[in-house]
Amino acid sequence: MEKVLQGVAGAVTAITGFEKGSGKTAFLSLALPHARQAGPVALFTIGSDGVSGPTKRSRSAGIRVEPGDVVLTTEPLARASESRFEILHTVPGRVALGRLVVGRARRGGCVTLVGAEHFSALSQALAMVRAEGWAASALIDGAVARMTQIAALPGWSPPGSGSTRSAGRLQFAFVVRADRGNLARVTARIRLLDRLADLPLDDGRDPEVLQLEGPLTSEGLRSLPPGTTAFSLEDFTKVFVEPPEFLRVLEARRVLVRRTFHLLCFAVILRDLSRHTFLEALGPHAPRILFNPYEAA
């Protein structure tokens, strides 16, 4: 587990999952000390699930920050935090909890992360953090079903000339809770995401590869020109096809992407399931599974 979590240092890591309560924010807190190995960390949240009214708090309430960490929150929450934030930037627009700001913690304490109303504002704030050198890593608590938004995030490489991570490359962790009721759905989704994350890169030099734009749907698959043996997508978040159908496509055609995102791991919490039962349902190829990571937290 330690080796997996060390991969967040110096990277932009989006944390997403199936549903609310799957453990995304807990995973962020678990990964945070490892990210700090590279220096201060930027902490963001996607969406506004927890900011629907003036009395509601963010899904990411209670994130513990240390001096130098940078967060996206509101001015009232920053001022109320024991961390005594220095306001670095005011984000255009407001949410129900007040004006959004990018702040840097002056001392340790807890703070509530708040997502921007428009995703472009979050993306711009993250790009500014990197351009100004305010943080060495970023952890983004992703809302439910927001895989498509990961593609709009700016990434960065870890510092140091020895880095093997390409500039602008993002990574993600997918957090799930599995039980007997959702076992088939969860394992099917994991198998699909594992294959999607490993799709080869289209370098644009193979004339046989048809470059598709926009989302890929079942209708789009049926509309492919006759004789198409290979095609590429902008990235894997553009796939809107049910897992069984897309896995059949992978058997029949070469599918590539023009931008890749590294899969850090699947963080799996089991409810009334043994690891053996889960792995048996998953199939012979076990992808990057981090079982019950919070046991060691």
Side-chain angles (χ1 to χ4, degrees):
M1 184 182 74
E2 293 290 321
K3 184 177 180 180
V4 171
L5 293 177
Q6 286 170 2
V8 302
V12 175
T13 306
I15 304 162
T16 189
F18 280 126
E19 56 194 10
K20 294 181 182 180
S22 60
K24 295 183 294 295
T25 303
F27 185 88
L28 184 149
S29 296
L30 183 66
L32 186 49
H34 298 273
R36 288 201 185 100
Q37 298 301 310
V41 183
L43 300 167
F44 294 85
T45 184
I46 295 176
S48 55
D49 291 357
V51 196
S52 57
T55 62
K56 298 290 183 71
R57 293 180 69 82
S58 163
R59 292 175 295 106
S60 302
I63 294 295
R64 174 81 187 185
V65 296
E66 297 296 339
D69 287 343
V70 174
V71 304
L72 179 63
T73 186
T74 65
E75 188 173 22
L77 290 174
R79 299 198 183 283
S81 172
E82 59 187 339
S83 299
R84 299 188 62 180
F85 282 91
E86 171 192 0
I87 305 302
L88 300 173
H89 175 67
T90 300
V91 178
R94 296 175 64 89
V95 295
L97 294 175
R99 183 172 60 175
L100 284 169
V101 296
V102 176
R104 178 163 51 205
R106 292 181 175 177
R107 64 186 187 188
C110 292
V111 66
T112 299
L113 304 182
V114 179
E117 183 177 3
H118 299 291
F119 187 76
S120 59
L122 183 149
S123 184
Q124 290 168 10
L126 183 58
M128 175 178 291
V129 168
R130 179 53 174 170
E132 297 293 335
W134 291 335
S137 311
L139 295 173
I140 303 158
D141 185 1
V144 177
R146 301 297 178 119
M147 291 295 290
T148 53
Q149 292 185 333
I150 293 176
L153 292 170
W156 62 66
S157 297
S161 57
S163 170
T164 59
R165 196 187 308 275
S166 61
R169 191 166 109 172
L170 303 173
Q171 64 183 10
F172 69 100
F174 200 84
V175 184
V176 299
R177 291 182 182 269
D179 56 39
R180 295 189 183 278
N182 69 4
L183 181 59
R185 180 172 64 92
V186 165
T187 52
R189 184 62 172 166
I190 286 177
R191 285 193 296 269
L192 177 62
L193 277 176
D194 183 58
R195 293 291 299 274
L196 289 174
D198 280 343
L199 290 177
L201 186 66
D202 176 14
D203 60 11
R205 292 184 293 183
D206 187 344
E208 293 186 3
V209 176
L210 175 66
Q211 294 191 342
L212 303 181
E213 302 295 336
L216 178 69
T217 63
S218 295
E219 183 179 353
L221 284 172
R222 292 191 292 269
S223 301
L224 288 174
T228 300
T229 59
F231 63 86
S232 70
L233 307 167
E234 295 171 60
D235 57 70
F236 79 77
T237 71
K238 303 302 187 293
V239 175
F240 292 90
V241 179
E242 288 300 311
E245 182 178 9
F246 192 74
L247 291 174
R248 288 195 296 270
V249 171
L250 292 178
E251 298 300 324
R253 295 183 171 96
R254 283 196 299 142
V255 183
L256 303 90
V257 289
R258 299 189 291 279
R259 187 186 183 196
T260 60
F261 309 124
H262 174 65
L263 171 59
L264 181 67
C265 67
F266 293 100
V268 178
I269 304 300
L270 301 177
R271 291 174 174 168
D272 300 321
L273 277 178
S274 68
R275 295 186 182 185
H276 174 76
T277 300
F278 179 85
L279 291 173
E280 190 175 54
L282 190 59
H285 173 62
R288 291 145 275 199
I289 301 292
L290 184 61
F291 277 115
N292 300 343
Y294 320 123
E295 290 178 349

